Amino acid sequence: MKKKTFYITTPIYYPSDKLHIGHSYCTVATDVMARYKRMRGFDVMFLTGTDEHGQKIEEKAAAAGVTPQEYVDNIVAGIKKLWQLMNISNDRFVRTTDDYHVESVQKIFKELYDRGEIYKGSYKGKYCTPCESFWTESQLVNGKCPDCGRDVKDAEEEAYFFRLSKYADRLMKFYYEENPTFIEPVSRLNEMVNNFIKPGLEDLCVSRTTFTWGIPVTFDPGHIVYVWVDALSNYITALGYGNEKYHDYEKYWPADVHFVGKEITRFHTIIWPAMLMALELPLPKKVFGHGWLLLEGGKMSKSKGNVVDPVVLCERYGVDAIRYFLLREFPFGSDGVFSNEALITRINADLANDLGNLVSRTLSMGERYFGQLVPQDRRFITPDEQLVAMLDNVREQYSNLMETFTFQSALAEVFKVISRANKYIDETEPWVLGKNSDETDRLAAVIYNLLETIRICATLLVPFMPDACNKIFAQLGCPADECGYEKAIYYANTGYCINKKENLFPRIDLKKELELLEQHKAEKTAKAAPVAPPPCNKTSEEPKVEGVISIDDFMSVKLIVAKIADCVPVPKSDKLLQLALDDGSGKSRQVVSGIHAWYEPEALIGKKVAIVANLKPAKLRGVMSEGMILATDIGDAARVLFIDDAIPCGARIR
RNA sequence: GGCGGCUUAGCUCAGUUGGCUAGAGCAUUCGGUUCAUACCCGAAGUGUCAUAGGUUCAAAUCCUAUAGCCGCUACCA
């Protein structure tokens, strides 16, 4: 009989930098699920990989003075090493620079084009003639070419578009009728529908000519396949769709679940299904958007310099402890706050005190009273029943929760049993039984029950902590290959051969360890400082007072005086005004402001206002805005803060 | 601005379709035990279940409003 298959994926990670604990979180969760399904007898395909193309990689490589390929090879080697360290059991690792992937993507792109799902259109933007470069509005710096700073002119560029818009109805039908559990958690479904589907989907630009590091469009030189088709299709190219490298597309597709970060659920629940519809291929069964690991300061990000390095943690506390912590501490669908203190507290309480200590005390009593072998002559009595009842039920409770990716609760069920076993020792007092030779058969039963508890729990914990559990099996004297899921019930094993070794999870000195980690972090940021331009994290060591900022924080906002030289409404907009400002620089500054409801252009021209001069430029309704006019709200109305005409344009406000 | 979500013990959170004195873990205090990794077991708790109304025999659980926080998004900038 053929085994049932289970295909599970992580996102393919972008190798522009080293990965942090957040990436580990997703990959460990996927690994646990893959191991669990293998344990349940499934033929599992577990895929992870890297998304290696794009402009950012191209730039990073140039900055590092290497080719893009050299750059990604280096980073990817580190990623593979990390997964090895973290005991990730992926069956395949796809790189978007792999030949077979490139070949498949080119075929898919052509196929979509031939089917009329991709059409050639034009993409409006700006062109810098001297640089021969095409830029989008958002790439311009102060409306000028970001390379040379010269003026740019309107231009249209050819690009390919995918007919995403025509799939809105089919997607809605798919979400609500064909596969109501496609998107999880469900709150994400609402976001997708309300924010994207209902307002109307737009066709998607799927090619670029602004960079070269990517997969060329075979039938149109100069065009590069943009990330959507390139990256998303990894889930099928890695099974051999459109290539001869692998041959198990038929076997594993459609995927049982894509685990993705919540920030990319949109791509996986709208664009990816639409692409597959266009190709007339089956859709994945489920997309699960998991939460983020936050730090006390907020989101983890390289620019904040607050990333947590999984390698350091694994080396210090062991891979299994980290894997356990990640899935025990945080509900998989929501965000969680990561802290070293929570990590160590969790390891001590659950792994050292409860599980590790249970193994330790059970085995040393077993050895003390019986040597290695627990006598077969055992007297079971009524007080055993509570523990045994839990052993009879835990496997099912656990698997019900695992099937819905509720790892946190699945682990909690197992640890309830571990706790009960510790209590059982207190109740039965084996050390008293051990003093009375008439009680040997009773003592044998107690020790046996404890060994059964440990064996069953360890079996269920294997997906989370493979190494530690195998060590437990070794110390129990029952071969790991005889500790499968089907044996995770009471009385499935009757003989034990105790062989106690060193403790599984040493207790950690919380205070000492926190100091060490802090020190480690300080050294690291000190080392990193010369490389990275000192960004906004310079005050991170100072105690932060809530609601209070430093003078430096304030001075980072550049407020200046400017005169409104001209003002017109933004076309097709009812709230926006487009202002031409004299900011004293000699050049005109364009700012868009949402105040048309309260001010007519004529009322503003000639007035002086305060503006934020160093605000990141943004495009509003297609018009560039290089700053912000200061205003205040009175009730529902906005009032602009006008400045005394005697103050010159460009004057700094502080 | 729109849509969605959250607000429960000092901390982190559970609380199924409204129903017995609102729970768990961690931390705290006290007691027990000694097999064990200064561990384990037991006990004690503290809660205006964000605020104000409403529906109901009965609401943490449903409805309305308000406040704070968060997510996505936008003609915020």
PDB file of all heavy atoms in Angstrom, chain A residues 98 466 517 571 595 625:
ATOM      1  N   ASP A  98      19.286  27.964  -9.001  1.00  0.00           N
ATOM      2  CA  ASP A  98      19.542  26.624  -9.525  1.00  0.00           C
ATOM      3  C   ASP A  98      19.083  26.538 -10.984  1.00  0.00           C
ATOM      4  O   ASP A  98      18.019  27.060 -11.329  1.00  0.00           O
ATOM      5  CB  ASP A  98      18.790  25.570  -8.703  1.00  0.00           C
ATOM      6  CG  ASP A  98      19.434  25.338  -7.337  1.00  0.00           C
ATOM      7  OD1 ASP A  98      20.654  25.571  -7.221  1.00  0.00           O
ATOM      8  OD2 ASP A  98      18.722  24.929  -6.409  1.00  0.00           O
ATOM      9  N   PRO A 466      14.527  16.065  18.846  1.00  0.00           N
ATOM     10  CA  PRO A 466      14.955  14.739  18.404  1.00  0.00           C
ATOM     11  C   PRO A 466      16.176  14.200  19.172  1.00  0.00           C
ATOM     12  O   PRO A 466      16.174  13.049  19.585  1.00  0.00           O
ATOM     13  CB  PRO A 466      15.273  14.931  16.920  1.00  0.00           C
ATOM     14  CG  PRO A 466      15.052  16.360  16.602  1.00  0.00           C
ATOM     15  CD  PRO A 466      14.490  17.068  17.785  1.00  0.00           C
ATOM     16  N   LEU A 517      24.764  37.227  28.384  1.00  0.00           N
ATOM     17  CA  LEU A 517      24.156  37.505  27.091  1.00  0.00           C
ATOM     18  C   LEU A 517      24.200  38.998  26.772  1.00  0.00           C
ATOM     19  O   LEU A 517      24.425  39.389  25.630  1.00  0.00           O
ATOM     20  CB  LEU A 517      22.706  37.007  27.065  1.00  0.00           C
ATOM     21  CG  LEU A 517      22.536  35.496  26.954  1.00  0.00           C
ATOM     22  CD1 LEU A 517      21.079  35.094  27.133  1.00  0.00           C
ATOM     23  CD2 LEU A 517      23.050  34.987  25.616  1.00  0.00           C
ATOM     24  N   PRO A 571      -5.013  66.304  -9.302  1.00  0.00           N
ATOM     25  CA  PRO A 571      -6.091  65.771 -10.145  1.00  0.00           C
ATOM     26  C   PRO A 571      -6.673  64.481  -9.576  1.00  0.00           C
ATOM     27  O   PRO A 571      -5.955  63.697  -8.964  1.00  0.00           O
ATOM     28  CB  PRO A 571      -5.394  65.491 -11.476  1.00  0.00           C
ATOM     29  CG  PRO A 571      -4.107  66.257 -11.429  1.00  0.00           C
ATOM     30  CD  PRO A 571      -3.750  66.409  -9.999  1.00  0.00           C
ATOM     31  N   ILE A 595      -5.254  68.765   2.730  1.00  0.00           N
ATOM     32  CA  ILE A 595      -5.995  69.825   3.416  1.00  0.00           C
ATOM     33  C   ILE A 595      -6.981  70.546   2.513  1.00  0.00           C
ATOM     34  O   ILE A 595      -7.515  71.589   2.876  1.00  0.00           O
ATOM     35  CB  ILE A 595      -5.013  70.873   4.008  1.00  0.00           C
ATOM     36  CG1 ILE A 595      -4.074  71.360   2.912  1.00  0.00           C
ATOM     37  CG2 ILE A 595      -4.237  70.291   5.163  1.00  0.00           C
ATOM     38  CD1 ILE A 595      -3.152  72.480   3.346  1.00  0.00           C
ATOM     39  N   SER A 625       5.745  63.789  -2.982  1.00  0.00           N
ATOM     40  CA  SER A 625       5.695  64.738  -1.889  1.00  0.00           C
ATOM     41  C   SER A 625       7.004  64.659  -1.123  1.00  0.00           C
ATOM     42  O   SER A 625       7.414  63.598  -0.699  1.00  0.00           O
ATOM     43  CB  SER A 625       4.527  64.409  -0.952  1.00  0.00           C
ATOM     44  OG  SER A 625       4.518  65.317   0.132  1.00  0.00           O
TER      45      SER A 625
END
